[in-house]
């Protein structure tokens, strides 16, 4: 490891301008303070207090939040509604210093809220999710709103260093990311010579021509199946197939306890996980940290292998925290030192 080179790249993160296009939501946590008998029905009565309710940026918002923790200049591009959740989302962006000029509103839509009822926050055993209740949209993003998004992208792309597509849609969810936007992003980034990194739940197979994609183990297998490729469990071969079939520069595959594999058309390398399993507290959010640091590494002049190694170090920091965590610039510098 060239420590001085890595430190120089990290210290340049505050100069980087990153645009995040994706599906934004609020993660709301209700921390249960006590459980009581319920006189009205044969179900438990859970009690919480205002101090036990927290709201944070979720889905693509967690990526933007993580970039700001690394002090990058962050721009968000997406759709909100006209509801209270949308106002709360904008307040959270403002609190983190995130530029929201690319958030377009649509009547009749809401900002999704993913609510979890959890217990164990003040107890010695791990936090347990007791129930989850999500508020989502049942209508599609309108064509005129998509046109506004594409127009903003065209105006902004020359002023930024990199784009992250954060596609968190699953099943029949009606978010902002569709096949048209996926293709427009690829074309615009290629014409402007910009770094474009894609992360997706179910549509990696559509991210043709991207600079890089960052699937986890399950997403890698699902993508190869969608491309009618055999899965031979050779991680190097699987990653290289993604590069070749999708016309990527790189594929960064997240392998859980086995660390990361970064592949180009010529070479693949493995970076083993840096945190022993007995010290892992929570893995939620670590994948976003990988995507954020890898993108910032490329934008700061590191090659794909150096960027992947730095991202792997960041993931090792993230998994030692509870909840959906972010990694700060200071924490990353400390780890390198």
């Amino acid at each position: 490891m060239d420590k001085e080179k890595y430190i120089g790249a990290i210290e340049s993160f505050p100069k980087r301008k990153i645009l995040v296009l994706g599906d934004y939501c609020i993660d709301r946590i209700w921390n249960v303070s006590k459980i009581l008998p319920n006189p009205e029905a044969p179900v438990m009565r859970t009690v919480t207090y205002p101090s036990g309710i927290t709201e944070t940026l979720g889905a693509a918002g967690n990526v933007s939040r993580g970039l700001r923790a690394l002090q990058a200049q962050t721009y968000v591009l997406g759709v909100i509604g006209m509801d209270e959740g949308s106002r709360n989302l904008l307040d959270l962006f403002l609190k983190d210093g995130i530029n929201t000029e690319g958030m377009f509103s649509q009547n009749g839509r809401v900002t999704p809220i993913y609510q979890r009822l959890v217990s164990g926050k003040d107890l010695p055993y791990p936090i347990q999710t007791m129930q989850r209740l999500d508020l989502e949209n049942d209508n599609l993003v309108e064509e005129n709103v998509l046109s506004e998004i594409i127009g903003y992208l065209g105006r902004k792309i020359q002023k930024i260093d990199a784009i992250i597509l954060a596609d968190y849609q699953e099943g029949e969810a009606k978010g902002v990311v569709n096949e048209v936007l996926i293709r427009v992003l690829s074309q615009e980034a290629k014409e402007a010579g910009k770094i474009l990194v894609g992360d997706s739940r179910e549509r990696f197979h559509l991210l043709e021509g991207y600079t890089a994609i960052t699937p986890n183990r399950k997403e890698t297998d699902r993508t190869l199946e969608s491309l009618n490729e055999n899965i031979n469990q050779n991680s190097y071969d699987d990653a290289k197939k993604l590069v070749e079939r999708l016309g990527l520069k790189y594929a960064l595959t997240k392998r859980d306890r086995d660390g990361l594999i970064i592949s180009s058309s010529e070479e693949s390398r493995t970076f083993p996980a840096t945190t022993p399993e007995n010290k892992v507290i929570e893995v939620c959010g670590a994948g976003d940290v990988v995507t954020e640091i890898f993108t910032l590494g490329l934008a700061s002049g590191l090659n794909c292998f150096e960027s992947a190694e730095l991202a792997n170090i960041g993931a090792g920091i993230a998994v030692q925290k509870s909840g959906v965590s972010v990694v700060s610039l200071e924490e990353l510098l400390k780890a390198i030192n």
Side-chain angles (χ1 to χ4, degrees):
M1 176 191 293
D2 186 341
K3 184 187 292 188
E4 294 304 316
K5 185 175 185 180
Y6 280 40
I7 290 173
I10 296 168
E11 289 179 340
S12 75
F13 284 2
K15 300 177 183 178
R16 305 298 160 224
K17 298 179 179 179
I18 312 297
L19 175 69
V20 182
L21 188 156
D23 307 301
Y24 293 90
C25 77
I26 290 175
D27 281 339
R28 180 180 290 163
I29 303 295
W30 296 65
N31 293 292
V32 174
S33 296
K34 54 188 176 182
I35 300 174
L36 302 171
N38 185 355
E40 300 173 351
V43 295
M44 61 186 177
R45 177 190 174 207
T46 54
V47 178
T48 189
Y49 301 106
S51 60
I53 301 173
T54 60
E55 290 188 350
T56 56
L57 294 167
N62 190 60
V63 177
S64 63
R65 173 174 164 248
L67 289 167
R68 282 301 297 145
L70 292 160
Q71 298 186 23
Q73 300 175 50
T74 306
Y75 301 79
V76 289
L77 180 56
V79 180
I80 57 175
M82 306 290 285
D83 61 328
E84 182 180 355
S86 299
R87 292 189 290 273
N88 291 348
L89 183 78
L90 292 175
D91 286 343
L92 290 170
F93 282 140
L94 181 63
K95 180 181 177 182
D96 281 346
I98 294 169
N99 187 299
T100 62
E101 63 187 15
M103 295 301 291
F104 297 94
S105 60
Q106 177 178 319
N107 284 323
R109 280 183 69 86
V110 300
T111 288
I113 299 176
Y114 297 156
Q115 304 180 94
R116 294 173 180 83
L117 193 67
V118 304
S119 66
K121 178 177 180 292
D122 299 317
L123 298 173
Y125 48 80
I127 292 174
Q128 298 291 326
T129 297
M130 302 169 62
Q131 188 176 0
R132 178 167 166 173
L133 177 64
D134 294 349
L135 172 67
E136 293 189 340
N137 287 286
D138 58 0
N139 59 338
L140 293 170
V141 176
E142 296 171 354
E143 291 296 326
N144 66 306
V145 178
L146 289 173
S147 296
E148 288 186 288
I149 288 171
I150 292 171
Y152 176 85
L153 179 66
R155 296 190 301 273
K156 197 71 180 178
I157 197 163
Q158 291 295 344
K159 301 175 184 178
I160 59 174
D161 298 301
I163 305 166
I164 295 176
L165 172 70
D167 175 20
Y168 283 83
Q169 293 185 64
E170 295 178 302
E172 298 181 0
K174 296 176 174 63
V176 64
V177 180
N178 60 18
E179 293 189 27
V180 172
L181 275 180
I182 287 172
R183 290 194 298 271
V184 166
L185 268 177
S186 179
Q187 180 181 346
E188 293 275 356
K190 188 175 295 184
E191 291 177 357
K194 301 297 181 178
I195 296 162
L196 174 58
V197 177
D199 199 0
S200 178
R201 285 287 188 266
E202 297 183 350
R203 296 184 288 187
F204 277 106
H205 63 287
L206 299 177
L207 307 189
E208 296 185 13
Y210 280 43
T211 305
I213 60 174
T214 59
N216 61 28
R217 193 189 302 266
K218 185 182 295 185
E219 291 160 351
T220 297
D221 292 349
R222 187 188 302 138
T223 304
L224 290 172
E225 289 174 354
S226 298
L227 297 170
N228 297 315
E229 290 281 355
N230 293 325
I231 302 168
N232 59 15
Q233 300 305 319
N234 182 317
S235 301
Y236 284 149
D237 287 348
D238 289 345
K240 281 199 170 184
K241 284 179 184 177
L242 293 176
V243 172
E244 293 165 1
R245 286 297 306 275
L246 294 174
L248 311 168
K249 286 187 178 180
Y250 322 114
L252 179 63
T253 55
K254 298 172 281 195
R255 313 294 294 183
D256 305 316
R257 65 176 63 89
D258 297 322
L260 305 176
I261 290 178
I262 175 70
S263 289
S264 66
S265 57
E266 293 87 20
E267 184 180 357
S268 297
R269 295 184 193 175
T270 299
F271 293 100
T274 60
T275 302
E277 282 193 56
N278 64 348
K279 292 189 176 180
V280 173
I281 295 174
E282 176 64 75
V283 298
C284 288
D288 287 345
V289 169
V290 168
T291 301
E292 296 150 14
I293 296 178
F294 180 71
T295 304
L296 281 169
L298 292 178
S300 300
L302 299 179
N303 64 36
C304 67
F305 304 111
E306 294 163 337
S307 298
E309 183 174 22
L310 196 60
N312 192 48
I313 293 168
I317 300 169
V319 298
Q320 296 181 64
K321 301 181 178 185
S322 61
V324 182
S325 60
V326 296
V327 172
S328 70
L329 185 143
E330 292 78 11
E331 288 173 321
L332 194 56
L333 280 173
K334 183 179 179 181
I336 296 297
N337 281 313

